[in-house]
């Protein structure tokens, strides 16, 4: 049995000082984080807890204080009619809810994919030096700077089938023969919403990707050019791997927004099954239909669906959120 190594008094004192310093740093970190955590608990955790609680009650908007616990009935309940027949009720048996889930996921996949593609192209262009680049950067950010409600209302008028400028332009160049009701037709409503969202949010993606591009050392490009590496191979082998962390962060941020989209859909296509998202569905039940408990259940499921998709994406892409080297 080997003897334990001797530790000198000086080494022991240095180790104790290091340990004490580490504890003080941790204590200071928690001290600085405490105000933020208290505010976060007040504005996020408590409302989330109340929403989850109301989803298990029969609460109504005007009688929240008299809510009674009813279990899982807002989520799923089987009603036996007594003659051998029965029917499932609740959120998980509601076809309109599942249609809203599909609309939300489809909107997120298509919009985020297009915004990432266009944002990457714009970021690559803005990364190059050319006369007037500052003015181009400012112009690109204008759609993102416009409030979403204003953008949605503006595009709703531009896409109007009788007064919209989009139909007029498409008819003048011969792409369509008659005006198209972009936001009123079930076949084109989702296309219109996605198009407006891509127009507005692509600058956000371009800005985040451009920040990642500016972190790439220029020496690597110069060395690759001296070696005669073709531009496409340079992008695939050097640029894309180096900006991948920034690209994944941008996708996560944008996907979170897309999965809880509300304003642009509610303004452009209200009360439309073709574009109704989970947030719109929850809002309708919470306030329009006075089914507060049912809307709380929809809000709760919305939260968990977004959380699961986000966690799954982080693990699938092996994102490094702690900043350590792997």
């Amino acid at each position: 049995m080997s003897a334990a190594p001797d530790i000198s008094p000086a080494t022991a004192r240095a180790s104790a000082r290091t340990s004490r310093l580490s504890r003080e740093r941790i204590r200071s970190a928690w001290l600085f984080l405490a105000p933020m955590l208290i505010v976060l608990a007040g504005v996020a955790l408590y409302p989330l807890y109340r929403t989850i609680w109301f989803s298990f009650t029969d609460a109504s908007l005007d009688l929240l204080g008299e809510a009674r616990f009813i279990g899982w009935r807002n989520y799923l309940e089987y009603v036996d009619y007594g003659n051998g027949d029965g029917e499932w009720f609740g959120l998980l048996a509601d076809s309109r809810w599942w249609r809203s889930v599909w609309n939300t996921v489809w909107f997120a996949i298509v919009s985020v994919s297009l915004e990432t593609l266009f944002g990457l192209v714009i970021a690559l262009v803005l990364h190059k030096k050319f006369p007037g680049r500052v003015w181009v950067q400012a112009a690109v950010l204008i759609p993102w700077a416009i409030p979403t409600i204003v953008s949605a209302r503006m595009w709703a008028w531009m896409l109007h089938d009788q007064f919209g400028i989009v139909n007029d332009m498409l008819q003048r160049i011969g792409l369509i023969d008659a005006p198209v009701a972009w936001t009123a037709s079930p076949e084109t409503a989702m296309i219109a919403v996605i198009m407006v969202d891509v127009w507005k949010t692509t600058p956000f993606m371009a800005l985040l990707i451009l920040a990642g591009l500016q972190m790439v050392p220029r020496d690597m490009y110069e060395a690759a050019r001296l070696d005669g590496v073709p531009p496409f191979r340079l992008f695939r082998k050097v640029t894309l791997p180096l900006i991948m962390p920034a690209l994944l962060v941008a996708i996560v941020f944008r996907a979170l927004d897309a999965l809880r989209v509300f304003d642009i859909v509610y303004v452009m296509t209200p009360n439309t099954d073709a574009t109704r998202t989970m947030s719109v569905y929850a809002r309708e039940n919470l306030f329009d239909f006075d089914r507060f408990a049912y809307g709380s259940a929809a809000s709760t499921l919305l939260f968990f669906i977004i959380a699961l998709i986000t966690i799954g994406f982080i693990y699938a892409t092996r994102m490094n959120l702690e900043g350590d080297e792997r």
Side-chain angles (χ1 to χ4, degrees):
M1 187 174 181
S2 59
D6 293 334
I7 301 177
S8 64
T11 303
R13 288 194 297 270
S15 178
R17 284 196 299 268
T18 303
S19 179
R20 184 171 60 254
L21 180 60
S22 178
R23 289 195 299 268
E24 290 178 356
R25 287 179 176 176
I26 295 175
R27 192 181 303 111
S28 299
W30 281 110
L31 184 61
F32 285 116
L33 287 174
M36 183 271 294
L37 294 176
I38 294 173
V39 173
L40 183 63
V43 302
L45 295 182
Y46 180 72
L48 177 61
Y49 159 75
R50 293 286 287 175
T51 301
I52 296 175
W53 160 250
F54 282 132
S55 70
F56 292 99
T57 67
D58 60 353
S60 61
L61 191 60
D62 55 342
L63 297 173
L64 292 179
E66 301 179 8
R68 295 182 298 107
F69 181 79
I70 60 173
W72 296 90
R73 286 169 54 185
N74 289 318
Y75 293 96
L76 192 63
E77 179 188 18
Y78 183 77
V79 177
D80 190 352
Y81 295 144
N83 56 356
D85 295 331
E87 190 173 357
W88 289 98
F89 292 92
L91 193 64
L92 297 178
D94 191 343
S95 59
R96 293 177 70 247
W97 162 253
W98 289 113
R99 177 67 184 273
S100 302
V101 174
W102 166 249
N103 288 340
T104 307
V105 175
W106 177 249
F107 171 85
I109 292 174
V110 176
S111 62
V112 174
S113 299
L114 292 176
E115 289 158 8
T116 302
L117 177 61
F118 295 150
L120 180 59
V121 173
I122 294 174
L124 290 172
V125 172
L126 295 179
H127 189 55
K128 301 293 183 180
K129 292 183 179 180
F130 57 87
R133 184 176 65 163
V134 176
W135 296 103
V136 174
Q137 289 177 343
V140 166
L141 292 176
I142 289 177
W144 184 47
I146 299 175
T148 304
I149 298 296
V150 177
S151 298
R153 179 54 62 189
M154 177 182 68
W155 276 97
W157 278 105
M158 292 175 62
L159 295 171
H160 196 276
D161 56 336
Q162 297 181 12
F163 314 109
I165 189 175
V166 173
N167 279 316
D168 182 67
M169 292 174 59
L170 294 178
Q171 284 182 287
R172 288 178 182 273
I173 62 179
L175 291 180
I176 58 175
D177 298 326
V180 178
W182 293 97
T183 58
S185 174
E187 290 77 17
T188 58
M190 182 61 77
I191 297 176
V193 171
I194 291 176
M195 179 179 64
V196 176
D197 188 75
V198 169
W199 173 84
K200 174 174 174 52
T201 319
T202 295
F204 172 76
M205 298 292 288
L207 191 64
L208 293 181
I209 297 173
L210 180 60
L213 283 171
Q214 292 177 346
M215 298 297 293
V216 178
R218 295 189 176 273
D219 296 343
M220 303 185 66
Y221 292 121
E222 296 176 0
R225 292 191 186 96
L226 291 175
D227 293 338
V229 179
F232 179 75
R233 188 177 180 185
L234 177 64
F235 170 77
R236 187 168 58 91
K237 294 293 187 179
V238 177
T239 304
L240 190 58
L242 291 176
I243 68 170
M244 187 58 68
L247 190 62
L248 292 178
V249 170
I251 292 174
V252 169
F253 283 175
R254 184 62 203 109
L256 289 176
D257 278 339
L259 288 171
R260 55 187 176 86
V261 61
F262 171 80
D263 40 13
I264 191 171
V265 175
Y266 190 76
V267 172
M268 292 188 63
T269 57
N271 302 320
T272 303
D273 289 335
T275 60
R276 182 180 288 106
T277 61
M278 291 185 285
S279 296
V280 175
Y281 181 92
R283 191 265 177 196
E284 288 178 347
N285 283 277
L286 282 167
F287 303 109
D288 293 347
F289 304 151
D290 194 18
R291 303 172 68 188
F292 194 83
Y294 199 79
S296 297
S299 301
T300 302
L301 281 185
L302 169 61
F303 168 76
F304 284 110
I305 288 173
I306 293 177
L308 289 176
I309 291 176
T310 304
I311 294 173
F313 180 83
I314 291 174
Y315 275 96
T317 56
R318 294 176 174 84
M319 288 183 62
N320 184 7
L321 300 180
E322 297 181 359
D324 55 333
E325 295 183 359
R326 293 184 178 179

